């Protein structure tokens, strides 16, 4: 009798799980149309409403949401750290340290009390790309871009392709259609 009750409980639990998997995103339209209706909503709202909507956020067919990145100063030594905004959880997460060259770019120059040194970064195709920076001797710090890819199986930094021009100490950077554009010295 106990085995039969346990088997019935397992069967009922399995049937409930299957019903949850088959639950439509919205009553009425097919899921591919419901997905188009839900895509403009904020990820935090989608996550909070129900399990099917939460699963939708992590499906490969769901359009990616914007990536927000921040370059943060790490104190008096002029070092930097990086953070990314998790739109689903509604929080900032610290990124791992990038593989900086030696010497790394600085944000302050010791000879100038208020001289800020730029570290140019741009978000392109959901990735954070560091494109230019200056060392304390005011020479270019990045011989090639450093790219953070949050969608990799293990989110990590990697070296980008070599610049087709000399490395920059500072520049203007922007992105369009997933490409990065750099202009400057």
């Amino acid at each position: 009798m106990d085995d039969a009750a346990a088997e019935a409980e397992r069967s009922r639990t399995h049937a409930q799980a299957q019903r949850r998997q088959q639950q439509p995103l919205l009553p009425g339209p097919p899921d591919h149309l419901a997905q188009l209706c839900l895509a403009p909503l904020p990820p935090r709202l989608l996550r909070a409403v129900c399990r099917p909507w939460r699963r939708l956020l992590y499906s490969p067919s769901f359009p990616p949401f914007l990536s927000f990145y921040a370059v943060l100063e790490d104190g008096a030594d002029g070092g930097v750290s990086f953070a990314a905004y998790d739109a689903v959880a509604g929080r900032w997460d610290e990124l791992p340290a990038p593989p900086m060259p030696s010497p790394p770019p600085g944000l302050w120059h010791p000879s100038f009390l208020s001289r800020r040194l730029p570290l140019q970064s741009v978000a392109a195709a959901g990735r954070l790309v560091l494109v230019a920076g200056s060392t304390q001797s005011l020479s270019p710090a990045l011989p090639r871009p450093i790219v953070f890819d949050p969608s990799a199986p293990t989110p990590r930094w990697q070296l980008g392709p070599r610049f087709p021009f000399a490395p920059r100490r500072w520049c203007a950077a922007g992105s369009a259609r997933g490409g990065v554009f750099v202009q400057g010295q």
Side-chain angles (χ1 to χ4, degrees), residues 121-176:
S121 62
V122 64
R127 295 172 177 88
L128 175 61
V129 183
L130 306 180
V131 292
S134 299
T135 64
Q136 295 298 341
S137 64
L138 297 179
S139 60
L142 302 174
R144 56 196 307 173
I146 302 173
V147 181
F148 181 76
D149 184 0
S151 63
T154 54
R156 61 187 173 96
W157 291 92
Q158 50 196 338
L159 294 176
R162 292 216 175 268
F163 290 119
F165 48 80
R168 304 291 191 226
R169 292 178 291 174
W170 49 81
C171 65
S175 69

Side-chain angles (χ1 to χ4, degrees), residues 22-110:
Q22 296 169 356
Q23 183 179 359
L25 292 170
L26 294 172
D31 279 353
H32 70 282
L33 293 178
Q35 182 176 332
L36 293 173
C37 296
L38 296 173
L41 296 176
R44 290 184 72 187
L45 176 66
L46 291 174
R47 184 176 185 270
V49 171
C50 62
R51 283 188 178 136
W53 290 17
R54 194 173 312 132
R55 277 194 302 274
L56 174 64
L57 280 171
Y58 298 103
S59 72
S61 64
F62 192 74
F65 26 90
L66 294 175
S67 298
F68 295 104
Y69 295 104
V71 179
L72 308 168
E73 186 176 357
D74 265 351
D77 67 352
V80 294
S81 64
F82 302 90
Y85 185 70
D86 181 342
V88 175
R91 69 171 187 257
W92 286 93
D93 293 325
E94 190 171 338
L95 300 182
M100 288 292 192
S102 182
L107 292 182
W108 292 94
H109 191 278

